[in-house]
């Protein structure tokens, strides 16, 4: 049987009534000093809004970055040839060896070699930009999930042909220079003229290069014309059920068979995502710390308001002490006032932070998401600011000598 101690109810009712009285007094006091309260609120709103906005944008940026990498596929490997100091002559990767990787290794579905060089883009005798010229096979477009805006992709039939596909930024630069119909126009890359056969749609970042500022040509042409003609990079896609450590070991063993001095670095998409998550967590933490600086300024404003309030209400404090109020009752009254002020500022700060994040997402094209962490953080931070910066003024109020306070004019 559960026994209820009704004898505790009067004490509870007394505390409840005292708490309600303190809340009413706190609201009345804040309302009476409207201008001062408003200035303190502005500091709190900006401080908490900054923290919420920066943490929210850090989390949104993290999700955007991870989404872009995941769209390329978590089963993708990035293989890069390393410089070997021990070799008397640097070993090279032939086109046949790179393309045969998938046929030789059961853990690999497809392998896509590519080479790149940095060049100026010249149209109609004018420099329209600069960027990366990439030489790759037809499968390069598929493994990078590239989409066409007009024209066609390169194909394996474009063997050693001077054809190219433009990134969106390069295409726009040619339009600004007077090109009406991009497909069929000619652009000069590395001193040679290429015919445009296709233009890509805008592609989000997340690759080893900015595809929008790049021009793609057949790999057989690139191996003859670019300044950097050796294959140094390969994209590969693993079998669905194969772990990336097994696929990485297979790739390294394959190239060791070709040449014992040939060393490659294999990075999986899952490894890249894990690294990005760690880096973005640090960035989010850094943004939160930066936003906390303005929050400290707002907290100091709350403390100043409360200290001025204690000074102005010395007589009130003396009367309450003379009527039997204890020190902890006075301290609680001013602490509640500080917390109410901070929570009110926290509410508007949360709205400001969420609104700022939403507007930023509208301009950047990112997907807006409301993080529960941000809201909880806003409430927690607001309460913490009220308690931390309100303790000292409340302590000062509780320590006032009631006799001296009553003598205050």
């Amino acid at each position: 049987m559960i026994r209820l101690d009704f004898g505790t109810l009067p004490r509870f009712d007394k505390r409840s009534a005292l708490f309600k009285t303190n809340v009413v007094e706190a609201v009345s006091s804040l309302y009476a000093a409207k201008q001062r309260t408003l200035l303190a609120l502005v500091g709190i709103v900006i401080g908490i809004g900054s923290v919420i906005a920066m943490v929210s944008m850090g989390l949104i940026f993290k999700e955007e970055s991870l989404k872009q990498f995941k769209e390329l596929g978590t089963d993708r490997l990035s293989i890069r040839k390393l410089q070997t100091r021990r070799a008397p002559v640097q070993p090279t990767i032939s086109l046949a060896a790179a393309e045969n990787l998938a046929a030789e290794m059961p853990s690999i579905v497809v392998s896509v070699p590519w080479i790149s060089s940095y060049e100026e883009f010249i149209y109609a005798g004018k420099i329209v930009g600069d960027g990366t010229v990439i030489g790759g096979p037809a499968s390069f477009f598929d493994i990078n999930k590239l989409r066409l805006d007009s024209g066609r992709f390169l194909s394996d039939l474009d063997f050693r042909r001077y054809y190219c596909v433009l990134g969106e930024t390069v295409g726009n630069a040619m339009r600004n220079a007077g090109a009406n119909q991009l497909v069929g126009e000619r652009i000069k890359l590395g001193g040679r003229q290429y015919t445009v056969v296709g233009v890509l749609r805008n592609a989000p970042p997340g690759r080893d290069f900015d595809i929008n500022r790049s021009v793609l040509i057949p790999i057989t042409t690139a191996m003859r014309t670019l300044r950097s003609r050796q294959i140094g990079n390969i994209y590969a896609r693993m079998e669905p059920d194969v772990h990336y450590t097994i696929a990485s070991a297979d790739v390294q063993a394959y190239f060791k068979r070709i040449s014992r001095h040939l060393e490659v670095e294999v990075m999986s998409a899952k490894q890249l995502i894990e690294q990005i998550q760690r880096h973005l967590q640090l960035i989010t933490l850094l943004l939160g710390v930066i936003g906390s600086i303005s929050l400290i300024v707002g907290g100091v404003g709350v403390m100043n308001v409360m200290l001025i309030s204690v000074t102005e209400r010395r007589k009130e404090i003396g009367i309450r002490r003379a009527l039997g109020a204890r020190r902890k009752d006075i301290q609680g009254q001013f602490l509640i006032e500080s917390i109410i002020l901070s929570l009110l500022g926290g509410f508007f700060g949360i709205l400001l932070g969420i609104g700022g994040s939403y507007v930023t997402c509208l301009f950047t094209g990112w997907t807006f998401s409301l993080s529960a962490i941000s809201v909880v953080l806003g409430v927690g931070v607001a309460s913490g600011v009220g308690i931390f910066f309100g303790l000292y003024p409340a302590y000062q109020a509780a320590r006032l000598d009631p006799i001296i306070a009553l003598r205050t004019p």
Side-chain angles (χ1 to χ4, degrees), residues 68-85:
Q68 289 161 6
F69 271 90
K70 288 175 181 177
E71 283 177 355
L72 294 176
T74 56
D75 58 348
R76 200 175 79 147
L77 296 177
S78 181
I79 306 164
R80 183 170 64 92
K81 177 181 168 296
L82 301 176
Q83 294 292 323
T84 309
R85 296 181 180 178

Side-chain angles (χ1 to χ4, degrees), residues 290-312:
I290 294 172
S292 299
I293 296 173
S294 57
L295 182 60
I296 292 173
V297 175
V300 171
V302 171
M303 182 182 289
N304 288 334
V305 168
M306 296 310 301
L307 286 173
I308 294 172
S309 180
V310 170
T311 303
E312 291 180 345

